[in-house]
Amino acid sequence: MDDPTTPSPYDLLFEGLWLIPIRHYLYALILIWTVFFYNFVEFHFLGDAVLQYFRGRVNLIYHPDSPIYHGVVSRCRSLHGRYVATPWLASPHLQTCFLNFHGLPPVFTYTRKLFRASDGGTIALDWLTNSHVPVADGDPHNQNEISKEDTTPIAVVIPGLTSDSSSAYLKHLAYNTAKSGWNVVISNHRGLGGISVTSDCFYNAGWTEDVRVVLDHLQHEFPMAPLFAIGTSIGANILVKYLGEEGEKTPLRGAVAICSPWDLLIGDRFISRKFKQRLYDRALTIGLQGYAQLHEPQYTRLANWEGIKKSRSIRDFDNHATCHVGKFETVDTFYRKSSSTQYVGNVAVPLLCISALDDPLCTKEAIPWEECRANKNIVLVTTNHGGHLAFFEGLTASSLWWVRATNEFLGALSCSRYMHIQKIQESGSSGSRKQEEPSINQGPYLNIGEDGLVAAVNLEENTTRSKDATQVLKQRGPKVKDKRSFNVLCRQTKRSIWLLGYIGMVTGFPLVGMLMNYLFRKKQRPITASKS
């Protein structure tokens, strides 16, 4: 029989637990939360520190007989080295959020020219020439116009969804490319860069006509300058699709695709799969709805406006807007016809593709590994880390690895004999190409942007190339034609940006708490027993 005066083992246990100092419990709680968020945010700082030699390797996929690899990529040191992320940004989510919030972009000013397409649409072309790059004292060199006889290579940049020339990653790219001696022009999508929409034609994830007419215009204006193209995110998808459509007829000498989504249908499944991806999905949807509000009259007439306002995901938005305006049977039909994967085999120019395997927006599941390996003109580069368009490197995160790799590749290509030579288009072939284009290039169309532009396009079948009916208006610096609409857009975009910031703030809070506790805690004096 138990002695009632004997204390219960549980009582002894609780008494022992009360003897443990409270701060030790706090330390344990912080440790548990740190481990949880380390995995939740996909930190890889410890892995980089211990397994840097193995994890940091840059992986190259190419055809065994690829002349582009053996003649160009083999000379690029950055592509045969390692990429190690900035230690305090060793997470794809932190990298992506930091790039959207600030990104530490260089400071400079573009020179703007407005390109007027034959359908009345306006495209802002923002130039940064090698003479525009600021010198050490911060003042730019003499800003001379590019002459018709100039042989300096031109890099044409196609931004991501709703990005424009003011985006941090594009500033990194433009500045460093111009600094290396090239002329850079960012071809902003219609309705972006502070330019009002001047026609019923808008871009979308599969809309390649603007790339086509801009390149034709640049070739006509600067016939002696070799043209190269760099596409980022959705811009990369558009670029690869354009290259596949044109084949050997494109005037481009080479191209680079950064963080392409490749297959939009797979990407749609991925972005709605986990809680973390659904946060990005919601943030982008808010941006799309903000752009839709700028074009409410068109969407009220052409789409399901009430459904657009109630959309909770990009797929919902496409269902209520894209399918109605673009006359697609289903959302999946739109994604399939806009994806660039099916065009990879037709690419006839040297193409470097860079993707991060931990990209939180463009999943590695969509990368066409075998299609890239089968094409001798393509070299696919993958890194284990990098986030979406980030790839920050160095302790100060002042540079992007993919920008350095891109410039090195284009520099080696421009000095080699492997640049693409345009095949002269035979008379009448333009019309046949138009007839063979998939329905995605036969209006009406829908513009879908990262921060949210959406609008309809309705082109007639007999629309001709716009290079014969273009008007270029020169302006110094970006100007907003509709200040009220642009301010509304900025307010709408802030909601999606702050949602992305919430991810970084919440996930990084335990580490901040540990740092604050370490810096500001008071030292405890040791307690010594006094002798009696």
Side-chain angles (χ1 to χ4, degrees):
M1 184 174 182
D2 295 338
D3 187 354
T5 61
T6 303
S8 170
Y10 293 102
D11 294 336
L12 295 176
L13 177 62
F14 284 116
E15 289 179 5
L17 293 176
W18 276 109
L19 295 177
I20 300 176
I22 298 297
R23 67 177 184 275
H24 291 183
Y25 288 106
L26 295 178
Y27 295 155
L29 182 61
I30 292 175
L31 178 61
I32 293 173
W33 276 98
T34 301
V35 172
F36 172 78
F37 279 109
Y38 186 92
N39 290 278
F40 180 80
V41 190
E42 301 175 45
F43 273 110
H44 47 81
F45 173 76
L46 295 179
D48 290 347
V50 178
L51 302 173
Q52 175 179 334
Y53 181 84
F54 301 99
R55 285 192 175 184
R57 288 180 177 177
V58 176
N59 304 308
L60 301 176
I61 305 297
Y62 55 91
H63 192 282
D65 300 326
S66 171
I68 307 305
Y69 172 78
H70 296 290
V72 181
V73 174
S74 61
R75 298 160 51 190
C76 300
R77 294 183 59 184
S78 59
L79 297 177
H80 287 82
R82 292 173 176 79
Y83 166 68
V84 180
T86 299
W88 51 278
L89 289 175
S91 161
H93 306 291
L94 290 183
Q95 287 215 44
T96 303
C97 292
F98 182 75
L99 180 65
N100 281 274
F101 270 99
H102 193 278
L104 302 176
V107 179
F108 59 87
T109 302
Y110 294 102
T111 296
R112 169 159 294 187
K113 293 183 179 180
L114 298 183
F115 175 82
R116 183 78 66 175
S118 60
D119 58 16
T122 303
I123 302 173
L125 301 179
D126 288 336
W127 286 86
L128 182 65
T129 65
N130 52 39
S131 61
H132 287 80
V133 179
V135 292
D137 58 4
D139 296 328
H141 294 284
N142 295 329
Q143 300 182 2
N144 300 323
E145 288 293 325
I146 304 176
S147 65
K148 207 174 186 67
E149 294 77 22
D150 196 340
T151 59
T152 304
I154 298 176
V156 184
V157 181
I158 307 171
L161 209 63
T162 68
S163 296
D164 58 24
S165 57
S166 64
S167 299
Y169 71 92
L170 292 180
K171 284 191 171 183
H172 277 284
L173 175 62
Y175 181 85
N176 286 278
T177 305
K179 191 176 180 180
S180 64
W182 287 44
N183 295 326
V184 183
V185 56
I186 298 180
S187 178
N188 294 286
H189 298 297
R190 299 187 182 208
L192 293 175
I195 298 298
S196 300
V197 176
T198 57
S199 73
D200 290 337
C201 184
F202 295 84
Y203 82 101
N204 61 41
W207 173 244
T208 59
E209 188 61 24
D210 284 350
V211 176
R212 186 172 290 107
V213 297
V214 167
L215 291 177
D216 286 348
H217 163 71
L218 294 175
Q219 184 186 34
H220 179 265
E221 289 293 314
F222 312 105
M224 304 300 293
L227 296 178
F228 298 82
I230 305 170
T232 58
S233 191
I234 284 296
N237 184 80
I238 295 173
L239 175 60
V240 175
K241 183 173 182 288
Y242 159 79
L243 293 175
E245 291 173 349
E246 291 294 289
E248 297 183 351
K249 300 175 183 178
T250 176
L252 289 176
R253 300 296 188 92
V256 181
I258 309 296
C259 294
S260 174
W262 296 108
D263 192 315
L264 302 181
L265 186 60
I266 296 178
D268 169 65
R269 302 294 190 268
F270 171 76
I271 203 170
S272 60
R273 184 180 302 167
K274 297 181 180 179
F275 174 74
K276 288 176 287 187
Q277 275 66 48
R278 288 196 293 270
L279 289 177
Y280 290 104
D281 190 12
R282 181 56 183 155
L284 294 176
T285 304
I286 293 174
L288 289 171
Q289 291 172 323
Y291 260 127
Q293 289 182 0
L294 297 181
H295 306 284
E296 181 176 351
Q298 293 95 322
Y299 285 102
T300 302
R301 176 170 51 89
L302 299 173
N304 181 1
W305 178 248
E306 292 300 321
I308 292 175
K309 292 193 298 183
K310 297 177 181 178
S311 296
R312 304 293 296 178
S313 66
I314 296 177
R315 186 177 182 85
D316 289 343
F317 183 88
D318 289 338
N319 183 48
H320 297 298
T322 311
C323 291
H324 285 267
V325 179
K327 306 300 182 184
F328 295 101
E329 295 84 356
T330 64
V331 178
D332 289 351
T333 301
F334 169 70
Y335 291 154
R336 288 191 182 97
K337 292 185 177 181
S338 299
S339 299
S340 60
T341 303
Q342 57 189 317
Y343 296 90
V344 170
N346 296 330
V347 174
V349 306
L351 174 63
L352 180 72
C353 305
I354 299 178
S355 296
L357 299 183
D358 66 351
D359 193 320
L361 295 178
C362 301
T363 174
K364 61 184 178 182
E365 300 171 12
I367 297 177
W369 304 91
E370 294 305 319
E371 290 86 344
C372 291
R373 191 192 304 274
N375 192 326
K376 295 183 180 181
N377 298 305
I378 297 178
V379 175
L380 173 63
V381 179
T382 62
T383 59
N384 290 325
H385 307 297
H388 186 66
L389 296 174
F391 294 84
F392 286 102
E393 60 181 353
L395 293 176
T396 61
S398 58
S399 62
L400 307 182
W401 176 85
W402 68 264
V403 172
R404 177 162 60 90
T406 295
N407 290 333
E408 192 172 357
F409 170 78
L410 292 180
L413 178 62
S414 63
C415 298
S416 72
R417 60 186 178 89
Y418 299 101
M419 288 190 297
H420 170 70
I421 303 300
Q422 182 182 16
K423 182 179 180 180
I424 303 301
Q425 190 169 346
E426 298 179 359
S427 178
S429 60
S430 176
S432 62
R433 181 188 61 79
K434 285 286 186 179
Q435 294 176 0
E436 295 173 357
E437 287 181 349
S439 61
I440 185 64
N441 287 335
Q442 303 170 1
Y445 308 96
L446 179 64
N447 165 28
I448 302 179
E450 263 177 297
D451 47 2
L453 179 59
V454 184
V457 179
N458 190 9
L459 292 180
E460 299 296 334
E461 292 183 359
N462 60 353
T463 301
T464 60
R465 289 287 184 88
S466 63
K467 76 172 184 177
D468 297 327
T470 60
Q471 177 183 5
V472 180
L473 304 175
K474 177 183 175 184
Q475 292 183 349
R476 290 296 303 276
K479 293 185 179 180
V480 181
K481 297 182 70 175
D482 190 345
K483 187 175 182 180
R484 180 191 62 82
S485 298
F486 189 68
N487 290 337
V488 172
L489 171 61
C490 292
R491 290 195 299 270
Q492 293 292 339
T493 304
K494 286 180 180 179
R495 295 176 59 194
S496 58
I497 292 296
W498 280 112
L499 183 55
L500 289 177
Y502 173 77
I503 303 173
M505 181 186 69
V506 173
T507 54
F509 180 77
L511 296 180
V512 175
M514 292 184 65
L515 179 62
M516 296 294 290
N517 179 70
Y518 175 77
L519 294 176
F520 298 106
R521 67 182 180 182
K522 294 182 179 180
K523 294 183 178 180
Q524 299 292 334
R525 292 185 176 181
I527 301 176
T528 58
S530 59
K531 296 182 179 180
S532 56

